[in-house]
Amino acid sequence: LYEAITQGDDRVSPPPQSAAPAATRSGYPLVGRERERARLLGAYDSIRSDGLVVVIEGEAGIGKSRLAEEVLKHARDNNATVVATRCHEGEAGIAYAVIGEVLQQLPSRQVMKSSEAALLEAARLVPELAMEGAPEPASDPGAPARFHEGLREVITTGLAGSVPGVMLVDDLHWADSASLEVLGYIARRLEATPVCIVVAWRPEEAVGRGEVTNLATAATGSVKVTPTRLGLDDVRTLVGTDPTAD
C-alpha cells in the first residue's frame, strides 16, 4: 500500500472529503461525569514540553464523544489549534483516511512552517501541500521512514502554538491500519512536542486490533479514562433534558 502511494498509483483512494469535522455531539449537558472531566482537563493542562496521548475507552453510548468534546472546548477556550475526525464502520479499507482528514483541517499558515521535505511527503496524501510540483515516486529502503517522519512533522507543526494543540480521533476502533500506523509513530515521538492526541474507542470493537489498544502503552506519555454507566438519578436528569429547547 505504501509503495502504491509513493509510486503515485491512481488506484489508491484519496481520503474522503468532509466540509466539517463530525467528531463531537453538541447540545446535551455533561451529567455525572465531573470526575472524568476533571481528569481529562487536568491531563491536558499538565502538558509542558512533552506531548500526551489521552484515551477515552468505553462501550457504545457511554458518553465518550461528549467527554472528548469537553477537552476540545477547553483547548479552544485557551486558543489552541484543534482538529477532530471520526472513523466510520466499513471504511477501514480506505488507507490513510484519518491522516488525510487531519491534514486537511490543520491551519495552512501553521502547516507551511514545516520543512519543504516534510510537506512533500505529506503531499502524497494531500497534493495541495506540495510547495512546488508533485512528489516524485520513491522506492528506496529509506522511503517509508521519510514518509512517516514527514507526516509526523507536518501534523505536529500544524498543531503547535503557544498552548498545546489537540487532535481528536473518535471511534478509533474503526480506523484504517495505515492511519493507525502513523498515529502510533507520532505517539512514540512526543518528546519535546507539546501536543495532545485524544482517541476514543470501544473495547469490544478493538478486540484483536493491537494497533488500537497499544497506541497508549507505546506513547511517550498517556492517560486513560474509562467512564462507567450513569446512575439512575443522572439518567433521569439526562433524559429530562431537551437539547433543542431554547
Side-chain angles (χ1 to χ4, degrees):
L1 175 60
Y2 166 77
E3 291 177 359
I5 290 176
T6 56
Q7 296 298 326
D9 193 328
D10 292 336
R11 293 172 295 175
V12 178
S13 301
Q17 303 293 316
S18 63
T24 58
R25 300 165 183 166
S26 301
Y28 288 95
L30 192 69
V31 175
R33 299 296 186 206
E34 292 77 13
R35 182 176 58 84
E36 292 90 342
R37 179 182 183 274
R39 189 174 182 208
L40 289 170
L41 301 194
Y44 173 79
D45 290 339
S46 72
I47 296 174
R48 295 295 182 265
S49 61
D50 295 343
L52 186 68
V53 172
V54 173
V55 175
I56 307 174
E57 180 184 75
E59 62 184 288
I62 202 72
K64 301 182 297 298
S65 297
R66 186 62 185 83
L67 277 169
E69 184 178 352
E70 289 295 305
V71 182
L72 301 189
K73 180 181 183 301
H74 181 69
R76 288 193 187 101
D77 288 347
N78 284 277
N79 299 314
T81 297
V82 171
V83 297
T85 186
R86 168 175 287 136
C87 309
H88 299 280
E89 186 175 12
E91 294 186 1
I94 303 178
Y96 297 104
V98 173
I99 301 303
E101 288 195 15
V102 168
L103 290 171
Q104 290 165 356
Q105 290 182 40
L106 291 169
S108 57
R109 180 178 298 181
Q110 188 65 27
V111 164
M112 289 307 166
K113 295 179 182 180
S114 306
S115 68
E116 185 174 349
L119 289 169
L120 201 60
E121 294 297 335
R124 299 186 190 280
L125 299 182
V126 181
E128 296 81 3
L129 293 177
M131 298 182 69
E132 292 186 13
E136 293 291 330
S139 58
D140 61 281
R146 291 196 302 272
F147 180 60
H148 283 78
E149 179 58 24
L151 293 175
R152 185 204 66 80
E153 180 183 330
V154 171
I155 290 173
T156 56
T157 299
L159 291 172
S162 57
V163 293
V166 178
M167 172 174 62
L168 166 65
V169 184
D170 204 353
D171 289 334
L172 188 72
H173 48 273
W174 285 327
D176 63 276
S177 294
S179 290
L180 287 169
E181 188 175 299
V182 174
L183 289 171
Y185 181 92
I186 296 172
R188 292 188 294 271
R189 293 164 174 81
L190 291 177
E191 297 93 343
T193 307
V195 301
C196 183
I197 302 174
V198 180
V199 295
W201 70 61
R202 304 175 191 170
E204 67 274 17
E205 297 283 356
V207 173
R209 298 203 71 187
E211 65 267 46
V212 173
T213 55
N214 291 339
L215 185 64
T217 56
T220 302
S222 66
V223 169
K224 185 176 180 180
V225 171
T226 308
T228 56
R229 296 184 181 184
L230 295 173
L232 183 57
D233 289 342
D234 290 330
V235 171
R236 286 172 175 162
T237 299
L238 189 60
V239 171
T241 302
D242 181 0
T244 64
D246 292 335

